[in-house]
Amino acid sequence: KWKGMIYRQGIYGVAGKYVAYLGNWEKSNIPGGWIWDDMGNYYGAGSGALNWHENQYDLVLASGNTVGDSVKIIETRPNLIQTNLVAELTSAAKGSGDNAYIYLAPMADKGFVRGTIPLAEQAFVISGSFPDPAMQLLGTLQALVENGLPHPPKYQYNYDKKPAAFETIGTIRSPTLDSLNYWFMKKSINLYGETFVKTMGLEKSGFGATETGLRVLKNFWKERGIEPASLHMIDGSGLSPQNRVSTDALIRVLQYARSRPWFNYYYDALPVYNKMKLKSGTIGGAKSFAGYHTAKDGTEYSLAIIVNNFDGSAAEMVKKMFLVLDELK
């Protein structure tokens, strides 16, 4: 679509630069509180003024035939712009699964891939987050227009103001909000949560930032009876270990949603766990579920359960949580 829009204008190359306008949006893609182990991986994709390809790429790896052999990086899909990844992985036993992690800070040009993947894999795929989504988008656009990526790259940012004179040659709109929310809930796409919060800040205060968006969010719920202290939120997705949300606050949110005209869309987006409509939450040492269930006798429940600081496997904890939730059936 982009190529068609541009070529129809008779543009087959750019003598100057490709410029991304990033105004009215905070420069940092990553909110405070995220940890080093998360931010380079696909679920640690932050949100900027320009987000591209869900700020995510696939990394293709090849392992050796013996446990302990080194692992090679085959390629990235799409190709990472101005970023070099160093493989520090080893081959593990067959069936050991994906234990590989990407360590790559925002805006960095070098990162590391550590951990293990099973031996004798020729195209083992893990996913990471773009360190600089706007740069990735501009590099992709230049490659599209000029049929390859000439060197040196010709792109830059503009944080201050839009160009005094410009011509819009095409517009592509996102899916509707209910569709975005559907996949946000079904697949826990953290990027969407971060973007929703920053967009709230942009719409209500004129500046898209995590801090401004969270202020809007907390004020909204305060006006509806939820104390700000029960919504200790650091980000828009819950990835920070510093987030603290009470079960009482979750129940109040769920009951508010039930009263709204858009409830059916919201309810439809909730995944199914234990034959209940529930959104799950997972982070180190904590597991939670919140959602709705209608019992056999017709009683309608809004429910929330959080277990903090548990030992052992998350799978065993989930089994025990489901035993408790079964009392509502």
Side-chain angles (χ1 to χ4, degrees):
K1 288 184 178 179
W2 286 0
K3 287 183 86 169
M5 291 175 179
I6 295 167
Y7 288 177
R8 279 193 292 272
Q9 302 295 315
I11 299 171
Y12 299 95
V14 175
K17 292 184 177 182
Y18 297 79
V19 180
Y21 173 62
L22 307 179
N24 299 325
W25 200 272
E26 67 179 336
K27 296 179 181 179
S28 174
N29 291 341
I30 302 295
W34 284 17
I35 63 175
W36 175 232
D37 286 4
D38 291 338
M39 63 179 66
N41 298 285
Y42 73 94
Y43 52 84
S47 174
L50 279 176
N51 301 302
W52 164 241
H53 209 265
E54 297 200 338
N55 294 354
Q56 181 179 324
Y57 65 94
D58 287 340
L59 177 64
V60 184
L61 305 169
S63 55
N65 294 319
T66 304
V67 171
D69 283 353
S70 60
V71 173
K72 296 180 180 179
I73 294 174
I74 304 302
E75 63 176 338
T76 60
R77 305 171 181 163
N79 184 49
L80 276 180
I81 302 289
Q82 296 183 344
T83 302
N84 179 42
L85 293 176
V86 179
E88 296 183 346
L89 303 119
T90 56
S91 306
K94 276 284 187 182
S96 57
D98 176 6
N99 293 292
Y101 295 89
I102 301 169
Y103 295 86
L104 180 61
M107 312 304 287
D109 58 6
K110 185 176 182 180
F112 302 89
V113 190
R114 295 169 178 157
T116 65
I117 64 171
L119 57 81
E121 294 283 350
Q122 298 305 308
F124 192 89
V125 178
I126 66 173
S127 297
S129 60
F130 290 145
D132 189 347
M135 186 72 74
Q136 190 75 32
L137 183 144
L138 290 179
T140 301
L141 182 60
Q142 181 180 350
L144 277 175
V145 174
E146 303 182 16
N147 292 315
L149 190 58
H151 297 282
K154 301 187 295 187
Y155 30 85
Q156 67 184 48
Y157 300 155
N158 178 0
Y159 289 104
D160 301 322
K161 58 183 179 180
K162 292 181 180 180
F166 64 91
E167 179 182 350
T168 300
I169 63 173
T171 300
I172 299 176
R173 298 195 178 277
S174 77
T176 56
L177 178 60
D178 62 308
S179 177
L180 292 170
N181 184 65
Y182 180 90
W183 292 111
F184 173 50
M185 300 279 274
K186 290 287 188 184
K187 297 295 185 182
S188 293
I189 304 174
N190 291 335
L191 167 66
Y192 289 11
E194 301 306 323
T195 306
F196 289 158
V197 163
K198 290 187 178 184
T199 303
M200 291 177 195
L202 178 67
E203 291 292 324
K204 298 298 183 181
S205 72
F207 187 66
T210 302
E211 183 179 352
T212 57
L214 290 176
R215 191 180 305 125
V216 170
L217 195 62
K218 291 176 182 178
N219 287 339
F220 178 90
W221 290 118
K222 182 178 180 180
E223 293 170 357
R224 286 154 183 81
I226 299 179
E227 287 298 319
S230 65
L231 291 174
H232 186 263
M233 299 170 66
I234 303 297
D235 58 27
S237 64
L239 192 58
S240 169
Q242 298 180 42
N243 287 294
R244 297 289 186 274
V245 179
S246 71
T247 49
D248 178 73
L250 290 172
I251 290 296
R252 290 173 182 267
V253 169
L254 290 165
Q255 291 177 340
Y256 174 82
R258 188 183 283 277
S259 71
R260 309 313 297 166
W262 40 257
F263 175 70
N264 287 340
Y265 297 103
Y266 179 76
Y267 183 83
D268 186 48
L270 288 168
V272 175
Y273 292 97
N274 196 38
K275 298 181 180 179
M276 297 174 164
K277 293 288 282 187
L278 302 172
K279 182 74 185 79
S280 67
T282 307
I283 202 165
K287 184 67 186 180
S288 62
F289 292 96
Y292 305 95
H293 181 65
T294 301
K296 290 180 180 178
D297 64 4
T299 304
E300 295 181 339
Y301 292 101
S302 301
L303 61 98
I305 180 172
I306 303 174
V307 178
N308 288 309
N309 302 317
F310 65 84
D311 290 323
S313 75
E316 287 302 314
M317 178 52 62
V318 167
K319 290 180 182 178
K320 295 177 180 180
M321 295 171 77
F322 286 170
L323 285 175
V324 175
L325 294 177
D326 282 345
E327 295 296 315
L328 301 179
K329 292 183 175 180

